[in-house]
Amino acid sequence: MINSNDVNKWLQEVEHPAKGDKNLVELGMVENIEIAEGQVTVTLAFAKHRDPLAEYLIGSAKAAIIRNAPQGTQVEIKSIIKNEAAPKKKGLDLGEEELANVKHIIGIASGKGGVGKSTVSVNLAVALARLGYKVGLADADVYGPSVPKMTATEGLMPDAFQEGEKEIIVPLEKYGVKWMSIGYFARPEQALIWRGPMACNALKQMILQVRWGELDFLLIDMPPGTGDVPLTVFQSLPVNGIVVVTSPQELVSMIVGKAVKMANLMNVPVLSLVENMSYFECPDCKKKISIFGESKIDSVASDFLIDTIAKLPICPEFANLSDKGQIEKFDGDYLNSVVEKILKI
Ligand code: ADP
């Protein structure tokens, strides 16, 4: 049987990245721990309204307990605002004020992780910025944020300030693009095992609590998959269209089918399909070799009446530049068709 000392110890694993990495216990944020059979309920106290990291800390506290407690233990994290002792509202009622001067929002989606969604997202952002447009990218992939690494901004902490009731986060600017990522607040080794509403809230914060200012395009690197988390969030945002990234190893027709269904539920068009790792170009003879077999992307696009596709080769240079955070050196030409389509919306 676990006791509150155990829970207290586990909560010491959760550090507040904006407070010198002190943990929840050291910061006096653990207000109460209740243990009943198979159920742990922790109340966290926040000093002011909407700590920009509140959802992250709540998620991490839950994850720390689930990691350590016997399997099947139910965990609930409540939060209160200290001094006021007012229970925090369930869910965030963030408005869309920060999107008021954003002209177009485009989601970048994929069926699963690792197909190159982030590579395509950052490439598109840099390509649009090179053309002189004002661009922001929200890395909303709560399960595997890659923008900090790809932009060599790892370890930086975006500024935050209080404005009335609301805590505002300031995006980082580099390569002419405004960047925001859950990765600035989570350590890479911290497994983000967020589920359902918690992932939804963290995701909303990364979009709605950010001072984007005036933007022609806000690109959103969505969490992989077409499940409830992306759908719930993106149904509530004024998205103008989505770009779907696939790889030839997948059941492309099924993935695109699901993405089209998601886009229909969001009431937006699929602007383009991007097949990543489509072929390998022989450096000597320039012949294109379809390593994973003949591409099906053209026929799938025509089946789903999608008029724009792009194909990106397997290119060790992409991986190298991403690793080094030198994405401004990417060859953006591969995505020209997608950029042109985006400019038409
Ligand atoms: P996702 O966002 O879908 O999880 P990423 O864009 O992070 O995928 O890509 C996963 C890995 O594959 C990264 O290491 C990236 O550098 C590499 N990668 C992506 N596209 C290519 C490509 N066309 N050629 C070579 N490596 C690639």
Side-chain angles (χ1 to χ4, degrees):
M1 177 76 182
I2 54 177
N3 60 41
S4 55
N5 283 342
D6 296 326
V7 177
N8 210 55
K9 200 170 83 205
W10 302 334
L11 291 171
Q12 289 174 31
E13 292 173 15
V14 182
E15 293 168 348
H16 196 313
K19 301 230 162 107
D21 288 344
K22 286 198 171 130
N23 66 54
L24 294 180
V25 177
E26 277 176 290
L27 291 166
M29 293 175 70
V30 181
E31 190 74 4
N32 192 31
I33 298 173
E34 276 172 53
I35 298 170
E37 206 174 326
Q39 164 86 35
V40 175
T41 308
V42 170
T43 306
L44 294 181
F46 290 89
K48 53 184 177 180
H49 275 322
R50 295 199 187 112
D51 184 325
L53 300 179
E55 294 304 322
Y56 162 69
L57 292 167
I58 290 169
S60 302
K62 188 165 186 176
I65 299 172
I66 293 173
R67 240 190 342 258
N68 290 289
Q71 213 180 354
T73 306
Q74 295 296 312
V75 181
E76 188 186 359
I77 310 289
K78 295 179 177 171
S79 61
I80 58 163
I81 307 298
K82 217 169 184 173
N83 304 329
E84 298 171 31
K88 188 171 173 278
K89 266 193 213 156
K90 231 182 167 182
L92 292 174
D93 59 349
L94 294 170
E96 286 177 13
E97 300 83 7
E98 300 307 322
L99 300 179
N101 297 314
V102 174
K103 292 193 187 124
H104 305 288
I105 301 182
I106 293 149
I108 323 289
S110 69
K112 59 172 186 172
V115 297
K117 176 172 52 57
S118 302
T119 304
V120 170
S121 302
V122 295
N123 264 299
L124 279 177
V126 173
L128 286 162
R130 271 189 203 137
L131 293 173
Y133 293 98
K134 295 195 176 88
V135 185
L137 191 150
D139 175 11
D141 186 348
V142 284
Y143 307 111
S146 23
V147 155
K149 183 157 197 202
M150 287 188 176
T151 53
T153 54
E154 266 173 318
L156 296 184
M157 174 60 72
D159 281 338
F161 62 92
Q162 187 81 28
E163 194 174 74
E165 286 279 278
K166 212 170 164 187
E167 184 92 19
I168 306 284
I169 317 175
V170 184
L172 298 176
E173 279 195 67
K174 195 169 179 183
Y175 308 133
V177 176
K178 292 181 179 171
W179 309 96
M180 180 46 60
S181 169
I182 190 90
Y184 294 127
F185 306 108
R187 286 156 179 269
E189 69 275 13
Q190 270 170 339
L192 299 179
I193 58 163
W194 298 351
R195 298 271 179 270
M198 209 127 58
C200 286
N201 283 344
L203 223 145
K204 279 188 184 170
Q205 281 187 296
M206 288 303 112
I207 299 164
L208 295 174
Q209 222 171 315
V210 176
R211 182 60 39 102
W212 293 110
E214 215 173 284
L215 288 186
D216 295 303
F217 299 101
L218 174 61
L219 307 186
I220 304 182
D221 186 350
M222 296 168 67
T226 46
D228 283 349
V229 172
L231 187 60
T232 315
V233 173
F234 291 95
Q235 264 180 326
S236 67
L237 291 176
V239 177
N240 298 92
I242 65 170
V243 171
V244 181
V245 183
T246 64
S247 81
Q249 290 132 299
E250 299 178 286
L251 290 167
V252 176
S253 176
M254 191 185 81
I255 304 275
V256 174
K258 283 187 179 173
V260 167
K261 201 168 150 198
M262 179 173 80
N264 287 342
L265 288 168
M266 286 159 58
N267 233 345
V268 299
V270 171
L271 299 170
S272 173
L273 300 183
V274 177
E275 184 172 69
N276 190 25
M277 310 192 207
S278 184
Y279 57 91
F280 181 73
E281 192 175 87
C282 170
D284 299 323
C285 69
K286 302 291 170 205
K287 194 175 169 206
K288 292 180 180 177
I289 304 159
S290 303
I291 291 183
F292 303 111
E294 246 354 271
S295 165
K296 298 188 186 68
I297 201 78
D298 298 82
S299 65
V300 170
S302 100
D303 288 349
F304 287 99
L305 307 174
I306 299 166
D307 62 8
T308 306
I309 53 170
K311 294 178 185 174
L312 263 74
I314 299 169
C315 177
E317 191 67 1
F318 283 158
N320 280 338
L321 293 174
S322 296
D323 271 357
K324 291 192 199 137
Q326 296 178 339
I327 46 155
E328 87 286 9
K329 293 189 186 158
F330 274 137
D331 179 353
D333 288 355
Y334 294 112
L335 291 168
N336 278 349
S337 57
V338 188
V339 169
E340 277 165 28
K341 178 79 183 192
I342 288 174
L343 294 182
K344 283 192 204 139
I345 57 171

